[in-house]
């Protein structure tokens, strides 16, 4: 069987894989998407025998809001929105690619991987990931690619992490025989964000984009996070995950994001520890005056959020495993309330006129209260972006129409998919062995 992208995607095996990744109802749409992707790649680079198809999922953070950076627990899933590429290796030590929607040719010379103040965010991430491969003792090399994504940019679905895991998967497949595991790829993405993008991120986003499926992750030891798959299909059990893009944007919010882990750690440090995972709520209560003076009141609230949220993740996972979905929904609601009141990442500090997330949550809470079912919460890093609503399948269209009439912003249903960051050619080849 040919491995050329167009023939691969139109083959019986390719069509079956698309059905697995996106659902049978999406096969025609995804076939057209991949076909267009390959055609555009050939417009830029010509048909190449070594070209292959790659996909990296976006992610939904279902439980564990702002916990990973303090060694906490999360419940997350790879979703059916993803970042795609057709890519081919080159003999030159240069990465060259075009990205749909951007009128720019990206060229990164792999012989110069020092941080460059003139790099835009995309170039800095590529340079950082290539440097990360070397830092962790792995191989890099050049490639040409055309990239396209339907993951909302700067909105809380981890478009940047999806992009990072796409690039890491390309380099892993072409130059490391696909041998690097998800944790290694996630650490390389984190390295790029920390050292080349000045973003103090944890590992949640990269792990959830790359691993695949619904997973519980415990970051108590970030060097070796514990990953446990959670077997639960929301739609088959009567509920849908609905993402509401509130119209806000995550761009230029680095200071707001950075303040969360820093403030949490300030509480831990006031009690002689480094991370909130190492302390207890009782220790905060017993030393409240001292901790408030040392770290500030918002920091105390954020640390208490972390401790309760960690417990909620355990409860959410166990509720799904026991089939107690009503209890799961109560825990999602509690998580959302804690993020709003204690973590305080629903809107930017001092923002009065623009509170898109708060408006979307208020509307949704009223809708769900009248319905008597479902749950909602801030999604991802917060301060702007999207909210997550979980509600019965039969109410999805009504809710989406009602919200769209008032907000006039994108609203979509996402499913958890089993594939994280993958080379489609390799998946099909392995299935045929």
């Amino acid at each position: 069987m040919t491995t050329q992208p167009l023939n691969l995607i139109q083959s019986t095996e390719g069509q079956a894989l698309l059905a697995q990744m996106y659902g049978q109802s999406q096969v025609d749409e995804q076939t057209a998407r991949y076909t267009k992707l390959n055609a555009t790649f050939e417009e830029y680079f010509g048909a190449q025998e070594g070209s292959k198809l790659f996909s990296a999922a976006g992610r939904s953070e279902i439980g564990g809001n702002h916990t990973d950076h303090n060694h906490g627990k999360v419940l997350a899933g790879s979703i059916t929105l993803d970042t795609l590429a057709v890519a081919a290796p080159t003999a030159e030590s240069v990465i060259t690619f075009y990205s749909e929607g951007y009128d720019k040719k990206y060229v990164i010379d792999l012989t110069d991987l020092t941080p460059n103040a003139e790099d835009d965010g995309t170039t800095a991430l590529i340079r950082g990931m290539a440097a990360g491969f070397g830092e962790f003792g792995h191989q890099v090399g050049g490639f040409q690619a055309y990239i396209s994504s339907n993951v909302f940019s700067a909105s809380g679905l981890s478009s940047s992490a999806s992009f990072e895991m796409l690039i890491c998967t390309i380099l892993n497949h072409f130059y490391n025989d696909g041998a690097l595991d998800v944790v290694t790829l996630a650490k390389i993405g984190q390295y790029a964000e920390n050292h080349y993008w000045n973003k103090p991120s944890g590992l949640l986003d990269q792990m959830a984009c790359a691993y695949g499926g619904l997973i519980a992750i415990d970051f108590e030891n970030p060097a070796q996070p514990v990953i446990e798959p959670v077997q639960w299909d929301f739609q088959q059990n009567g509920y849908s995950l609905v993402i509401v893009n509130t119209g806000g944007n995550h761009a230029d919010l680095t200071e707001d994001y950075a303040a969360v882990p820093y403030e949490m750690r300030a509480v831990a440090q006031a009690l002689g520890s480094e991370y909130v995972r190492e302390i207890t709520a009782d220790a905060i209560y017993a030393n409240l005056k001292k901790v408030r003076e040392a770290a500030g009141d918002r920091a105390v609230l954020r640390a208490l959020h972390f401790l309760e949220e960690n417990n909620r993740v355990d409860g959410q996972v166990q509720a799904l495993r026991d089939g107690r979905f009503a209890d799961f929904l109560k825990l999602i609601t509690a998580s959302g309330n804690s993020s709003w009141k204690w973590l305080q990442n629903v809107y930017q500090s001092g923002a009065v006129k623009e509170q898109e997330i708060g408006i979307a949550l208020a509307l949704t809470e009223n809708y769900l209260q009248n319905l008597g079912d479902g749950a909602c919460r801030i999604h991802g890093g917060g301060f702007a972006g999207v909210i997550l609503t979980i509600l019965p399948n039969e109410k999805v269209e009504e809710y989406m129409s009602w919200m769209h009439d008032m907000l006039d912003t994108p609203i979509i249903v996402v499913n958890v998919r089993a594939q994280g960051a993958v080379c489609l050619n390799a998946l099909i080849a392995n299935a045929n062995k």
Side-chain angles (χ1 to χ4, degrees), residues 65-67 69-70 260 263-268 271 275-277 279-288 291-292 295-312 334-335 337-339 341-344:
N65 194 215
H66 274 285
T67 57
H69 47 59
N70 267 262
V260 176
E263 290 180 12
M264 287 185 181
R265 289 171 194 164
V267 173
L271 294 172
Y275 298 99
V276 182
R277 181 64 179 269
I279 65 175
T280 65
D282 286 341
I284 295 176
Y285 302 151
N287 299 275
L288 187 58
V291 175
R292 290 177 67 187
D297 287 351
R298 187 174 70 174
V300 171
L301 289 168
R302 285 175 164 174
L304 291 172
H305 161 83
F306 171 98
L307 293 167
E308 291 300 315
E309 187 76 348
N310 235 30
N311 293 332
R312 275 189 288 269
S335 173
N337 288 336
S338 180
S339 291
K341 295 190 297 186
W342 294 13
L343 180 61
Q344 300 180 36

Side-chain angles (χ1 to χ4, degrees), residues 71 84 117 127 178 183 190 215 217 233 376 407 424:
H71 299 187
L84 305 180
R127 202 183 303 276
V183 175
Q190 181 190 37
I215 54 174
I217 314 173
D233 188 309
C376 67
L407 300 182
L424 276 68

Side-chain angles (χ1 to χ4, degrees), residues 18-19 25 33 61 112 117 133 148 175 218 243 268-269 273-274 338 360 386 405:
L18 293 186
S25 64
R33 186 175 171 222
E61 173 215 281
D112 180 13
F133 269 82
S148 175
Y175 297 105
D218 187 340
I243 298 294
Q269 289 162 7
S273 297
E274 187 173 359
S338 180
V386 303
D405 285 347

Side-chain angles (χ1 to χ4, degrees), residues 321-384:
R321 287 176 173 162
D322 294 344
R324 295 181 287 107
F325 197 71
D327 291 339
F328 170 80
L329 290 176
K330 290 177 183 176
L331 290 166
I332 294 296
T333 298
S335 173
N337 288 336
S338 180
S339 291
W340 198 330
K341 295 190 297 186
W342 294 13
L343 180 61
Q344 300 180 36
N345 69 330
V346 165
Y347 40 76
Q348 300 170 55
S349 299
V352 176
K353 187 175 181 180
E354 288 84 23
Q355 294 189 4
E356 299 94 344
I357 291 281
I359 289 291
L361 286 172
L363 294 172
T364 301
E365 286 182 358
N366 283 336
Y367 180 92
L368 296 178
Q369 184 174 1
N370 292 331
L371 180 64
D373 200 353
C376 67
R377 49 156 290 188
I378 182 74
H379 186 279
F383 301 107

